[in-house]
Structures are given as C-alpha cells and as structure tokens.
Amino acid sequence: MPTVLITGGHSGIGRVAVEELAARGADLVLLGRSPERMRTVAEELRSRHDVDVTRIEVDLSSLASTRKAAGRVLAMVEDGTLAPLDALLANAGGRHDGPLTYGPEGFETTFTTNVLANHLLVSLLLPVMAPRGRIVLTASGTHDRDSTDGRMVGRTVEPAAAPLARAGRDGHPSLGAGVRYASSKLCLVMDSYERDRRLRAQGSSVEVIAYDPGLVPGTGFVRDLPRPVQAIAGSPITTGLSRRLGGVVSDVDFSGVSLARLAVDPDFVGYAGAYVQANVGTLTATRSARISYDRERARRLREDMEGLIASSP
Ligand SMILES: NC(=O)c1ccc[n+]([C@@H]2O[C@H](COP(=O)([O-])OP(=O)(O)OC[C@H]3O[C@@H](n4cnc5c(N)ncnc54)[C@H](OP(=O)(O)O)[C@@H]3O)[C@@H](O)[C@H]2O)c1
C-alpha cells in the first residue's frame, strides 16, 4: 500500500485526487487548514475504501505552522505510526485577490503559500520519502507570460524571492493578484527543476514533477473574486473561449485523477524534472516557460528563498 501526503486534499482538484488514490489502495495523510472538512473527507475515504487517513493541520501562509506540521509527520514516521512517503503532493495554493496581505513572518501571502511553504515542506520531509518516491508540485500554465493563460491572468515579473516576498513593502513595488499568482507559480516550477537537479546530482531515487492541472472551473480557486466574476470565470463560454485562444483547459475529474496518477502510477516512473500538463483529456510532459530553464536564476532563487526561510525560524 503506498502512503501519499497531500496538501489541500479536502477540496477541488485535491479532493478528486484523494478519492482516486484511496480507490487504488493508498493510505493518505491530509494536510490542511480546515479541520472539519478534512475530518469529513477522512471519514468518507475510510468507509468507502478501507484505507488509513491521517489528518494534520497546517496553514501554509505561515512558515511556523508549516514547520510544525512537518515535525508531526517526521515524528510519526520515526515512531512507526506512519510509513515513509511514497508521494508528496504539494497541491494546496491559490490566488489572493483584494488588498495585499502578509503571513506572520511578514512575507506576502501568495508567495508564502505557493512557494516558500512548499519549499520548506519538501525540504523538511525529504528524509522520510520512500526510495523512488515522487514529489509533485502543482503549478499553473499562468507561469508562462508568453502563453494564453499567462497573458489572461497577468504577466509574470522577475522570479526573485525578496521582491515577491516583500511586494508592497520595504520599497518593493506592489503587484496585482494575478501577477503575484502567476509569478509565484513560475518560482514554483523553477524550484521544482532546481530541486530535481540537486536530487539527481546526489544520486537520489526521489523524483520531482511540476504539474499544470489546466484551467479547471468549479473549484475554490477564484473564491476571493466577486460572485458575478466567479460565474463568468467558471462558465463554459469562458473555458471554450480560452481553449480556442490556445489556453490549457481541463475539468476537475480529469485533473484530480491525473494528479493521483502522477503520484503512484507506474506509467510516470522516470518523469523526474518534467513539467506535466493536463489539457482537454490528455496528460503529457511538455515545455514550460523559456525562463524556467534558466539554471542560474533558479539557483539564486533557491538561495534567496532559503535565506528568507532561515531568517524566520
Ligand atoms: N482551478 C484552476 O483553474 C487551477 C489552475 C491552475 C492551477 N491550479 C492550482 O491547483 C491547486 C488546487 O487548486 P483548486 O483549483 O483545487 O482550488 P481549491 O478548491 O481552492 O483548492 C485549494 C486548496 O488549497 C488549500 N489552501 C489554500 N491556502 C492554504 C493555506 N494557507 N494553508 C493550507 N491550505 C491552503 C485550500 O484549503 P481551504 O479549503 O481550507 O481554503 C484548498 O484545499 C492550487 O495550487 C491552484 O493554484 C488551479
């Protein structure tokens, strides 16, 4: 039985993924900030599939909370109450519309949640990954400023840690929600590649995949937007138009099952360092933004992120 840890497994794409994983016999570790919703999902999974489900609270907009949650996972693996992780799915994330907000460490919420917390979580949990384990980080096609998705949401800025973590503060320019979101996902893709390169250099068998689920209407993704805008964003007219313009479009069932397949399916052995995209019923490795392959930028990004993380123990 594989053991799979997922953030945000109680809703949207993650909810479909955990159902598919449990149906394949995987034991699950749900990490999230909504204890009641996680409890309900855990009970449903246990009763339908007879799998073990562990729930751990985490608020990924806080590095302290992320450290604490990772500490609980490490302790459980150490005392044998949890098996080493066959997959770690960093699925939780989002865009934060409205005024800029900052987590307890003073870093902008979108960058903290989508990038810094994922980097920290993966770093802390690497020691408990099973051999040939997979780490799947959920990105977004918006990370590519030259793509239809990138142009629609807001073109990315330079993938540099400090200006994004301190956007709107300390002399760094304020950025719109779409730009912050797309830029955070660019950083996530670059950090996935950098992580994978380092694991390969160390001879590790753990593989890292960046995953683009496509534009998926009907999840909680645009929850901060006014209701009429949410309705427009999720309408078949919008997805149809996006598709005609070359956007990457999917539905929640396909993207959720795809995430589960990336975690445990033997078809995806050897996808280390890949960018895999769900697009109208196909799941394929494809090219990400040109800038995402810039190794020097990725190395600097990682160093600067680690500096920010270390400055907030
Ligand atoms: N839907 C799309 O069109 C689309 C496109 C490309 C990429 N994505 C990516 O796909 C992933 C899943 O999103 P979704 O579409 O399934 O939306 P969703 O239904 O809103 O799911 C997002 C999940 O992330 C969790 N989350 C957000 N902030 C968190 C925090 N600070 N701490 C802990 N958990 C947090 C949410 O928890 P709560 O329920 O407790 O808020 C929720 O479970 C995200 O990374 C998103 O960026 C989505």
Side-chain angles (χ1 to χ4, degrees), residues 10-11 13 33-34 37 59-60 91 181 214 216 219-220 223:
H10 61 269
S11 64
I13 296 165
R33 63 178 171 179
S34 302
R37 292 167 71 197
D59 179 354
L60 296 165
N91 159 75
Y181 176 74
V216 181
T219 70
R223 68 181 87 174

Side-chain angles (χ1 to χ4, degrees), residues 5-18 29-34 37-38 41 56 58 60 89-93 118 121 138 223 259:
L5 181 149
I6 179 168
T7 60
H10 61 269
S11 64
I13 296 165
R15 177 68 187 87
V16 175
V18 295
V29 186
L30 305 180
L31 260 67
R33 63 178 171 179
S34 302
R37 292 167 71 197
M38 287 199 293
V41 171
I56 295 177
V58 68
L60 296 165
L89 310 182
N91 159 75
N118 282 329
L121 189 68
T138 297
R223 68 181 87 174
L259 178 57

Side-chain angles (χ1 to χ4, degrees), residues 46-307:
R46 280 189 203 109
S47 71
R48 279 206 280 271
H49 306 289
D50 194 26
V51 292
D52 285 341
V53 185
T54 303
R55 291 173 287 126
I56 295 177
E57 254 183 86
V58 68
D59 179 354
L60 296 165
S61 67
S62 157
L63 298 181
S65 173
T66 305
R67 278 193 187 92
K68 191 170 163 202
R72 287 195 56 198
V73 176
L74 292 173
M76 289 180 76
V77 176
E78 195 162 313
D79 71 17
T81 47
L82 191 65
L85 307 176
D86 296 284
L88 188 172
L89 310 182
N91 159 75
R95 56 176 279 166
H96 304 89
D97 289 274
L100 280 163
T101 57
Y102 301 87
E105 290 83 13
F107 303 136
E108 192 278 319
T109 305
T110 311
F111 190 71
T112 311
T113 307
N114 294 354
V115 194
L116 287 178
N118 282 329
H119 181 85
L120 179 60
L121 189 68
V122 172
S123 297
L124 293 174
L125 296 184
L126 258 182
V128 294
M129 291 299 297
R132 293 174 295 288
R134 291 185 207 159
I135 297 170
V136 184
L137 296 116
T138 297
S140 160
T142 60
H143 85 275
D144 184 353
R145 70 193 328 258
D146 296 324
S147 69
T148 300
D149 301 299
R151 281 192 292 268
M152 280 197 315
V153 165
R155 289 183 142 192
T156 54
V157 294
E158 177 67 25
L164 288 167
R166 301 214 162 89
R169 276 189 169 173
D170 305 333
H172 295 290
S174 182
L175 301 166
V179 172
R180 281 183 273 127
Y181 176 74
S183 302
S184 76
K185 293 296 189 178
L186 172 60
C187 292
L188 185 88
V189 172
M190 295 177 76
D191 197 41
S192 306
Y193 293 165
E194 179 67 14
R195 171 90 62 189
D196 195 74
R197 281 192 287 270
R198 288 178 188 228
L199 288 171
R200 302 280 74 71
Q202 291 160 11
S204 169
S205 62
V206 174
E207 304 193 333
V208 184
I209 296 171
Y211 172 49
D212 171 16
L215 169 66
V216 181
T219 70
F221 179 60
V222 287
R223 68 181 87 174
D224 288 350
L225 293 171
R227 290 241 174 240
V229 183
Q230 288 188 34
I232 293 167
S235 78
I237 297 174
T238 307
T239 45
L241 184 66
S242 166
R243 203 178 146 187
R244 270 201 296 284
L245 293 172
V248 176
V249 175
S250 185
D251 62 63
V252 70
D253 288 333
F254 186 77
S255 290
V257 170
S258 296
L259 178 57
R261 290 186 63 207
L262 291 175
V264 296
D265 202 311
D267 284 354
F268 291 93
V269 169
Y271 275 61
Y275 177 80
V276 181
Q277 194 170 67
N279 193 10
V280 275
T282 61
L283 183 63
T284 44
T286 184
R287 297 280 295 173
S288 53
R290 194 139 42 104
I291 192 175
S292 67
Y293 296 102
D294 184 328
R295 290 180 178 218
E296 180 48 29
R297 272 194 171 96
R299 191 194 57 73
R300 231 179 308 130
L301 172 68
R302 180 183 164 114
E303 257 177 30
D304 291 348
M305 289 201 307
E306 295 202 330

